[in-house]
Short mmCIF file of all heavy atoms in Angstrom, two decimals:
data_model
loop_
_atom_site.label_atom_id
_atom_site.label_comp_id
_atom_site.label_asym_id
_atom_site.label_seq_id
_atom_site.Cartn_x
_atom_site.Cartn_y
_atom_site.Cartn_z
N SER E 79 -16.67 -17.50 -14.86
CA SER E 79 -16.13 -16.44 -14.11
C SER E 79 -15.42 -17.03 -12.86
O SER E 79 -15.94 -18.01 -12.31
CB SER E 79 -17.29 -15.45 -13.68
OG SER E 79 -16.74 -14.51 -12.76
N GLU E 94 -15.37 0.27 -5.85
CA GLU E 94 -16.38 0.38 -6.83
C GLU E 94 -15.82 0.10 -8.18
O GLU E 94 -16.47 -0.57 -9.01
CB GLU E 94 -17.04 1.84 -6.76
CG GLU E 94 -18.25 1.91 -7.66
CD GLU E 94 -19.03 3.25 -7.36
OE1 GLU E 94 -18.88 3.79 -6.31
OE2 GLU E 94 -19.73 3.68 -8.27
N ASN E 96 -13.39 -1.72 -8.94
CA ASN E 96 -13.19 -3.16 -8.98
C ASN E 96 -14.48 -3.87 -9.43
O ASN E 96 -14.47 -4.72 -10.32
CB ASN E 96 -12.75 -3.71 -7.66
CG ASN E 96 -11.25 -3.80 -7.52
OD1 ASN E 96 -10.67 -4.81 -7.88
ND2 ASN E 96 -10.65 -2.79 -6.95
N LEU E 97 -15.57 -3.45 -8.75
CA LEU E 97 -16.82 -4.14 -9.12
C LEU E 97 -17.24 -3.82 -10.55
O LEU E 97 -17.80 -4.66 -11.28
CB LEU E 97 -17.88 -3.68 -8.14
CG LEU E 97 -17.70 -4.24 -6.70
CD1 LEU E 97 -18.71 -3.63 -5.70
CD2 LEU E 97 -17.82 -5.80 -6.69
N ARG E 98 -17.09 -2.52 -10.94
CA ARG E 98 -17.43 -2.16 -12.24
C ARG E 98 -16.70 -2.89 -13.27
O ARG E 98 -17.22 -3.33 -14.30
CB ARG E 98 -17.17 -0.59 -12.41
CG ARG E 98 -17.65 -0.06 -13.76
CD ARG E 98 -19.14 -0.17 -13.93
NE ARG E 98 -19.58 0.04 -15.30
CZ ARG E 98 -19.65 -0.85 -16.24
NH1 ARG E 98 -19.26 -2.06 -16.03
NH2 ARG E 98 -20.10 -0.49 -17.49
N LEU E 99 -15.40 -3.13 -13.03
CA LEU E 99 -14.61 -3.89 -13.99
C LEU E 99 -15.06 -5.37 -14.01
O LEU E 99 -14.88 -6.07 -15.02
CB LEU E 99 -13.13 -3.78 -13.61
CG LEU E 99 -12.55 -2.49 -14.06
CD1 LEU E 99 -11.17 -2.28 -13.48
CD2 LEU E 99 -12.38 -2.37 -15.57
N GLY E 100 -15.57 -5.83 -12.86
CA GLY E 100 -16.15 -7.18 -12.87
C GLY E 100 -17.24 -7.30 -13.95
O GLY E 100 -17.33 -8.36 -14.58
N ALA E 101 -17.93 -6.23 -14.21
CA ALA E 101 -18.95 -6.25 -15.25
C ALA E 101 -18.41 -5.59 -16.52
O ALA E 101 -19.17 -4.89 -17.21
CB ALA E 101 -20.18 -5.57 -14.74
N TYR E 102 -17.18 -5.75 -16.76
CA TYR E 102 -16.49 -5.10 -17.90
C TYR E 102 -17.21 -5.30 -19.24
O TYR E 102 -17.29 -4.45 -20.06
CB TYR E 102 -15.07 -5.60 -18.06
CG TYR E 102 -14.27 -4.97 -19.11
CD1 TYR E 102 -13.84 -3.69 -19.00
CD2 TYR E 102 -13.93 -5.69 -20.28
CE1 TYR E 102 -13.13 -3.06 -20.05
CE2 TYR E 102 -13.22 -5.09 -21.32
CZ TYR E 102 -12.80 -3.79 -21.18
OH TYR E 102 -12.07 -3.21 -22.14
N LEU E 103 -17.84 -6.51 -19.36
CA LEU E 103 -18.45 -6.82 -20.66
C LEU E 103 -19.78 -6.19 -20.86
O LEU E 103 -20.39 -6.18 -21.92
CB LEU E 103 -18.65 -8.34 -20.77
CG LEU E 103 -17.36 -9.14 -20.65
CD1 LEU E 103 -17.65 -10.61 -20.59
CD2 LEU E 103 -16.49 -8.82 -21.85
N PHE E 104 -20.34 -5.62 -19.79
CA PHE E 104 -21.67 -5.00 -19.91
C PHE E 104 -21.69 -3.54 -19.76
O PHE E 104 -20.90 -2.94 -18.92
CB PHE E 104 -22.58 -5.64 -18.80
CG PHE E 104 -22.49 -7.14 -18.78
CD1 PHE E 104 -21.87 -7.74 -17.70
CD2 PHE E 104 -22.99 -7.90 -19.84
CE1 PHE E 104 -21.73 -9.17 -17.64
CE2 PHE E 104 -22.87 -9.27 -19.78
CZ PHE E 104 -22.23 -9.86 -18.71
N LYS E 108 -28.39 -2.73 -15.92
CA LYS E 108 -28.32 -3.82 -14.93
C LYS E 108 -27.05 -3.84 -14.09
O LYS E 108 -27.08 -4.37 -13.02
CB LYS E 108 -28.53 -5.13 -15.69
CG LYS E 108 -29.21 -6.25 -14.81
CD LYS E 108 -29.57 -7.41 -15.61
CE LYS E 108 -29.82 -8.61 -14.64
NZ LYS E 108 -28.47 -9.21 -14.27
N VAL E 109 -25.99 -3.26 -14.71
CA VAL E 109 -24.76 -3.22 -13.92
C VAL E 109 -24.89 -2.56 -12.61
O VAL E 109 -24.47 -3.03 -11.58
CB VAL E 109 -23.66 -2.48 -14.78
CG1 VAL E 109 -22.37 -2.31 -13.90
CG2 VAL E 109 -23.37 -3.23 -16.00
N ASP E 110 -25.67 -1.51 -12.59
CA ASP E 110 -25.93 -0.77 -11.37
C ASP E 110 -26.71 -1.59 -10.36
O ASP E 110 -26.38 -1.65 -9.17
CB ASP E 110 -26.76 0.51 -11.60
CG ASP E 110 -25.77 1.69 -11.96
OD1 ASP E 110 -24.62 1.60 -11.50
OD2 ASP E 110 -26.23 2.65 -12.58
N ARG E 111 -27.66 -2.29 -10.90
CA ARG E 111 -28.46 -3.12 -10.00
C ARG E 111 -27.60 -4.28 -9.45
O ARG E 111 -27.69 -4.56 -8.24
CB ARG E 111 -29.66 -3.70 -10.77
CG ARG E 111 -30.95 -2.97 -10.41
CD ARG E 111 -32.11 -3.61 -11.06
NE ARG E 111 -31.98 -3.53 -12.58
CZ ARG E 111 -32.33 -4.47 -13.39
NH1 ARG E 111 -32.85 -5.61 -12.94
NH2 ARG E 111 -32.30 -4.33 -14.69
N ASP E 112 -26.76 -4.85 -10.29
CA ASP E 112 -25.89 -5.87 -9.84
C ASP E 112 -24.99 -5.39 -8.72
O ASP E 112 -24.69 -5.98 -7.73
CB ASP E 112 -25.00 -6.37 -10.97
CG ASP E 112 -25.76 -7.24 -11.94
OD1 ASP E 112 -26.95 -7.68 -11.60
OD2 ASP E 112 -25.28 -7.56 -13.06
N MET E 113 -24.55 -4.13 -8.89
CA MET E 113 -23.64 -3.57 -7.91
C MET E 113 -24.43 -3.36 -6.64
O MET E 113 -23.89 -3.60 -5.52
CB MET E 113 -23.09 -2.17 -8.40
CG MET E 113 -22.01 -1.77 -7.47
SD MET E 113 -20.65 -0.81 -8.14
CE MET E 113 -20.72 -0.63 -9.82
N GLN E 114 -25.65 -2.94 -6.70
CA GLN E 114 -26.43 -2.81 -5.45
C GLN E 114 -26.58 -4.15 -4.80
O GLN E 114 -26.57 -4.28 -3.59
CB GLN E 114 -27.82 -2.17 -5.79
CG GLN E 114 -27.70 -0.72 -6.26
CD GLN E 114 -26.88 0.15 -5.36
OE1 GLN E 114 -26.86 0.03 -4.17
NE2 GLN E 114 -26.01 0.97 -6.05
N ASP E 115 -26.80 -5.22 -5.63
CA ASP E 115 -26.92 -6.55 -5.03
C ASP E 115 -25.71 -6.94 -4.31
O ASP E 115 -25.70 -7.49 -3.24
CB ASP E 115 -27.20 -7.56 -6.17
CG ASP E 115 -28.63 -7.39 -6.74
OD1 ASP E 115 -29.39 -6.69 -6.14
OD2 ASP E 115 -28.88 -8.00 -7.73
N ALA E 116 -24.56 -6.55 -4.90
CA ALA E 116 -23.27 -6.89 -4.31
C ALA E 116 -23.13 -6.22 -2.99
O ALA E 116 -22.65 -6.85 -1.99
CB ALA E 116 -22.12 -6.55 -5.24
N PHE E 117 -23.51 -4.93 -2.96
CA PHE E 117 -23.47 -4.17 -1.72
C PHE E 117 -24.37 -4.73 -0.66
O PHE E 117 -24.06 -4.70 0.51
CB PHE E 117 -23.75 -2.67 -2.00
CG PHE E 117 -22.66 -1.96 -2.75
CD1 PHE E 117 -22.97 -0.92 -3.60
CD2 PHE E 117 -21.37 -2.36 -2.62
CE1 PHE E 117 -22.01 -0.20 -4.29
CE2 PHE E 117 -20.32 -1.64 -3.28
CZ PHE E 117 -20.71 -0.61 -4.11
N LEU E 142 -14.71 -8.91 -1.81
CA LEU E 142 -14.67 -8.10 -3.04
C LEU E 142 -14.42 -9.07 -4.21
O LEU E 142 -15.03 -8.94 -5.26
CB LEU E 142 -13.59 -7.06 -2.96
CG LEU E 142 -13.43 -6.18 -4.19
CD1 LEU E 142 -14.76 -5.47 -4.54
CD2 LEU E 142 -12.32 -5.14 -4.02
N ALA E 143 -13.51 -10.00 -4.06
CA ALA E 143 -13.22 -10.98 -5.11
C ALA E 143 -14.41 -11.77 -5.51
O ALA E 143 -14.72 -11.93 -6.65
CB ALA E 143 -12.06 -11.88 -4.68
N ILE E 144 -15.17 -12.18 -4.51
CA ILE E 144 -16.34 -12.98 -4.78
C ILE E 144 -17.39 -12.10 -5.50
O ILE E 144 -17.98 -12.48 -6.51
CB ILE E 144 -16.98 -13.58 -3.53
CG1 ILE E 144 -15.93 -14.57 -2.91
CG2 ILE E 144 -18.26 -14.25 -3.83
CD1 ILE E 144 -16.27 -15.00 -1.46
N ALA E 145 -17.65 -10.92 -4.95
CA ALA E 145 -18.59 -9.98 -5.57
C ALA E 145 -18.21 -9.67 -6.93
O ALA E 145 -19.07 -9.61 -7.84
CB ALA E 145 -18.69 -8.73 -4.64
N ARG E 146 -16.92 -9.47 -7.21
CA ARG E 146 -16.54 -9.10 -8.53
C ARG E 146 -16.80 -10.20 -9.49
O ARG E 146 -17.25 -10.01 -10.62
CB ARG E 146 -15.02 -8.72 -8.56
CG ARG E 146 -14.61 -8.12 -9.82
CD ARG E 146 -13.11 -7.90 -9.88
NE ARG E 146 -12.35 -9.17 -9.76
CZ ARG E 146 -11.03 -9.24 -9.59
NH1 ARG E 146 -10.32 -8.18 -9.45
NH2 ARG E 146 -10.40 -10.41 -9.51
N ALA E 147 -16.53 -11.40 -9.08
CA ALA E 147 -16.77 -12.62 -9.94
C ALA E 147 -18.25 -12.66 -10.27
O ALA E 147 -18.63 -13.00 -11.39
CB ALA E 147 -16.32 -13.87 -9.28
N LEU E 148 -19.09 -12.34 -9.36
CA LEU E 148 -20.54 -12.41 -9.59
C LEU E 148 -20.99 -11.30 -10.58
O LEU E 148 -22.00 -11.47 -11.25
CB LEU E 148 -21.29 -12.27 -8.30
CG LEU E 148 -21.32 -13.56 -7.39
CD1 LEU E 148 -21.82 -13.28 -6.05
CD2 LEU E 148 -22.12 -14.64 -8.14
N MET E 149 -20.25 -10.16 -10.54
CA MET E 149 -20.67 -9.05 -11.44
C MET E 149 -20.62 -9.43 -12.91
O MET E 149 -21.23 -8.84 -13.73
CB MET E 149 -19.71 -7.90 -11.21
CG MET E 149 -19.87 -7.17 -9.89
SD MET E 149 -21.43 -6.25 -9.69
CE MET E 149 -21.25 -4.98 -10.85
N ALA E 150 -19.85 -10.50 -13.25
CA ALA E 150 -19.68 -10.88 -14.65
C ALA E 150 -20.95 -11.69 -15.11
O ALA E 150 -20.97 -12.15 -16.25
CB ALA E 150 -18.45 -11.68 -14.85
N ARG E 151 -21.95 -11.88 -14.20
CA ARG E 151 -23.16 -12.59 -14.51
C ARG E 151 -22.84 -13.98 -15.09
O ARG E 151 -23.20 -14.30 -16.24
CB ARG E 151 -24.04 -11.89 -15.57
CG ARG E 151 -24.43 -10.48 -15.06
CD ARG E 151 -25.21 -9.77 -16.11
NE ARG E 151 -25.20 -8.34 -15.90
CZ ARG E 151 -25.50 -7.42 -16.84
NH1 ARG E 151 -25.88 -7.77 -17.99
NH2 ARG E 151 -25.48 -6.14 -16.48
N PRO E 152 -22.04 -14.79 -14.32
CA PRO E 152 -21.59 -16.05 -14.94
C PRO E 152 -22.73 -17.01 -15.04
O PRO E 152 -23.68 -17.03 -14.25
CB PRO E 152 -20.57 -16.46 -13.90
CG PRO E 152 -21.01 -15.81 -12.59
CD PRO E 152 -21.64 -14.54 -13.00
N LEU E 155 -19.66 -20.52 -12.22
CA LEU E 155 -18.79 -19.78 -11.31
C LEU E 155 -17.74 -20.67 -10.71
O LEU E 155 -18.00 -21.79 -10.25
CB LEU E 155 -19.66 -19.18 -10.18
CG LEU E 155 -18.95 -18.23 -9.16
CD1 LEU E 155 -18.43 -17.03 -9.84
CD2 LEU E 155 -19.92 -17.92 -8.07
#
Side-chain angles (χ1 to χ4, degrees):
Chain E
S79 172
E94 188 168 336
N96 268 273
L97 291 174
R98 182 62 191 88
L99 282 167
Y102 182 71
L103 300 173
F104 311 110
K108 207 169 159 282
V109 174
D110 271 337
R111 259 185 295 144
D112 287 348
M113 190 146 2
Q114 293 312 318
D115 289 349
F117 288 151
L142 181 58
I144 296 167
R146 190 184 64 189
L148 284 170
M149 290 294 290
R151 302 177 200 162
L155 185 62

